[in-house]
Each structure stands twice: as C-alpha cells, then as structure tokens.
Amino acid sequence: MAQGAPPTERRNPRTADIDTLESGEVLRLLLDEDARAVEAARAATGPLARAVDEAHLRLTRGGGVHYFGAGASGRLAVLDATEITPTFGVERGLFTAHFAGGAAALTDSSVDQEDAAELGAADAQVLDQYDVAVGITASGSTPYVAGALRAAHAAGALTVLITCNPLAPLCEQADILVVADTGPEALTGSTRLKAGTATKVLLNAFSTAVMIKAGRTYSNLMVGLVATNAKLRERAVSVLAEATDLSKEACRAALEECGGRIPDALVRLLTGCPPDQARAALAAHPGVRAAVAALGGHAG
C-alpha cells in the first residue's frame, strides 16, 4: 500500500503473521487492536465535547442531529440513531441517520452508493440552521458524506466530521473535526474492525452526552426509557426504586398514576406533588432535577 494512503488502508506490522497463528492468538491480536481503537477515541474527547455542547444548543432551538455515512461507518450511525428513542424517550427524528443508498443499501452491501456526492447533497436538503450534520467516514473522503456536508453547510447547519484519518480530505468541510487516529487495521483496509470500534464508541458517547445535557437521565439512570414490554416495565419500576430508595410497590403505584411515564413518576415521588403538577413542571423545566428544584423539592 502506498505511503500516501489513509492510515486505515495501510498494512499493520503487528498482525503480519496473523494467518499462521492459533485461534487464541488471533483473537488476542484482534482485541488488542480494538483496545487501541478505544484509546484513540478517548484522545478525541476535546473536539467531541465541543460537538456535544454545540449540538445541545441547537436542539434547544428546535433542531435535530443528522448522521450521514456509508458502509460500516454508516451502519453504525443507523444503529446509534435507532436506539435514541427507546433509550431516552425522545421523539422520533431528533436523531436521524441518512445512509448512502437508503434502506436497500443498508442490508445489501452490493448496493453501493457511497460515491454519490449528489445523493448526499439531496439527503441533506432537509437541514436548516438549527440542525447538526455529522459526517461519519473512516477514510475521511467518502463522496456521499462530502456532498451532505457541503449542502448542510450551505443551509447554515453545524457540520461535524467523525473520521479515523488525521489528514482527512473532508476536514475543511467540518466546523468541528473529531479524529480517532486508529492507524492500520488488523486486516488491511477492513475498517469494520478497529475504525468501526472507534466510530461506535464516539457515536455512543456523543449521543448519550447530548441526551444527558438535555436532562434525559437522572444520575446514571435511564429515566426516559420507553417501556414497551413486560421486562422494560419492570425495569422502569426498578429505576424508580433505585432513584428514590422506595419500595417497588410504591414505585409501581406512582408509575401507574403517571400513565407509565418514568420522569413524571420520579418527580411525583421526590416531591409528593400530584401527577399533573409533575408533568407540568417537566414541561416547563426539562429534566427531573430541574423540575424537582422548581417544585421546591430535593433531588438526591
């Protein structure tokens, strides 16, 4: 591989003999490389924090977060965006993943549209100045992402690039550049491995931090989770019991009084207010801590 290739496309000297090793050694090498990926993601905390803060500001003004990606990177973005609503109870569309080629390409890698810059630009036409466009590309050069970021910038949206290439060609199209310098893959060019690990870590951290700032958690508890089955309904009761040190019976009763809404039930339990007052306080002061404080209560 030429020296001018992105780091993710170069050969890794640490794994040159990987095809001669026993399974345990193969796994050790693969997982050692993944550990390096997590450290590379950790090193990007500074710019990622800036992206979180800027995204929070735009979401408070009615905007949304839009991911743009292709291949393994894009599929990880779809996974992250899909989990936001059930985890935090926000409206669908607050986080949206745009994948090069759409649903057909998502499950069939032979439908490859990552070179379609015009498709990225078209998908980004829904953005405005209150939105955040996050381009995800390990090489930092995917044309679909380039088209999306150009269109997003023209619309006044905040643009963020998440990449594993410190010299990403698209860096100039991003207001905020987040680089996890993962280096060569265990298998040359297979960015579903180490680059994929770093990308998943960064996306999970980004979206979770944005939701924490929005008051969608209480302590480290998922008070916004949507209880769609029996297991999750019991988890909701457990969350309330953990947050209040009250019995599960009391928490279950409060949850029923509040129509199954965990934040409402938690505010009711922490302040003693009726369900309608708890709901009104949350509407006026997003986040359980803020709502409790507004009602003169104390959040632990």
Side-chain angles (χ1 to χ4, degrees):
M1 188 66 64
Q3 284 300 304
T8 54
E9 300 296 325
R10 298 175 187 168
R11 291 189 69 183
N12 189 333
R14 291 184 295 273
T15 60
D17 62 349
I18 195 169
D19 62 329
T20 69
L21 303 176
E22 296 294 332
S23 297
E25 278 299 295
V26 170
L27 293 172
R28 183 188 65 77
L29 283 175
L30 292 173
L31 294 175
D32 281 352
E33 293 301 311
D34 265 355
R36 293 173 186 270
V38 174
E39 289 305 312
R42 188 195 300 273
T45 299
L48 191 65
R50 184 179 162 216
V52 168
D53 291 341
E54 293 290 340
H56 174 65
L57 287 176
R58 282 160 177 75
L59 265 59
T60 61
R61 298 167 183 164
V65 174
H66 294 257
Y67 293 149
F68 295 91
S73 298
R75 290 184 178 88
L76 290 168
V78 171
L79 175 63
D80 189 73
T82 302
E83 292 295 326
I84 298 300
T85 292
T87 302
F88 299 105
V90 299
E91 64 275 16
R92 294 188 183 278
L94 189 66
F95 279 70
T96 303
H98 304 270
F99 188 80
L106 184 62
T107 56
D108 184 355
S109 60
S110 69
V111 182
D112 188 351
Q113 296 289 330
E114 73 172 62
D115 289 338
E118 70 283 359
L119 184 58
D123 286 348
Q125 291 302 311
V126 297
L127 277 65
D128 61 27
Q129 70 270 27
Y130 300 114
D131 291 317
V132 180
V134 182
I136 303 106
T137 162
S139 68
S141 61
T142 303
Y144 172 81
V145 174
L149 291 181
R150 280 196 296 268
H153 180 75
L158 175 75
T159 55
V160 179
L161 179 66
I162 293 180
T163 182
C164 295
N165 183 2
L167 300 177
L170 299 186
C171 66
E172 293 183 358
Q173 296 188 30
D175 297 314
I176 300 175
L177 177 63
V178 180
V179 179
D181 188 3
T182 53
E185 292 288 353
L187 292 180
T188 307
S190 183
T191 53
R192 72 183 181 89
L193 296 174
K194 191 161 55 172
T197 296
T199 297
K200 183 180 188 301
V201 168
L202 290 170
L203 288 173
N204 284 170
F206 169 74
S207 59
T208 302
V210 170
M211 290 292 92
I212 289 171
K213 286 188 72 70
R216 290 288 174 169
T217 64
Y218 176 77
S219 182
N220 59 355
L221 299 171
M222 294 193 300
V223 297
L225 73 87
V226 179
T228 55
N229 55 49
K231 180 186 76 173
L232 291 178
R233 284 190 288 274
E234 279 307 300
R235 182 181 294 176
V237 172
S238 296
V239 165
L240 291 172
E242 287 278 357
T244 63
D245 289 328
L246 296 174
S247 70
K248 286 194 172 184
E249 290 71 22
C251 293
R252 187 173 288 107
L255 195 60
E256 290 175 359
E257 291 174 346
C258 293
R261 295 181 294 272
I262 301 174
D264 299 30
L266 183 51
V267 171
R268 168 159 170 62
L269 290 169
L270 291 173
T271 66
C273 73
D276 57 346
Q277 192 174 2
R279 190 159 182 77
L282 283 164
H285 308 278
V288 169
R289 290 188 188 276
V292 170
L295 292 170
H298 175 69

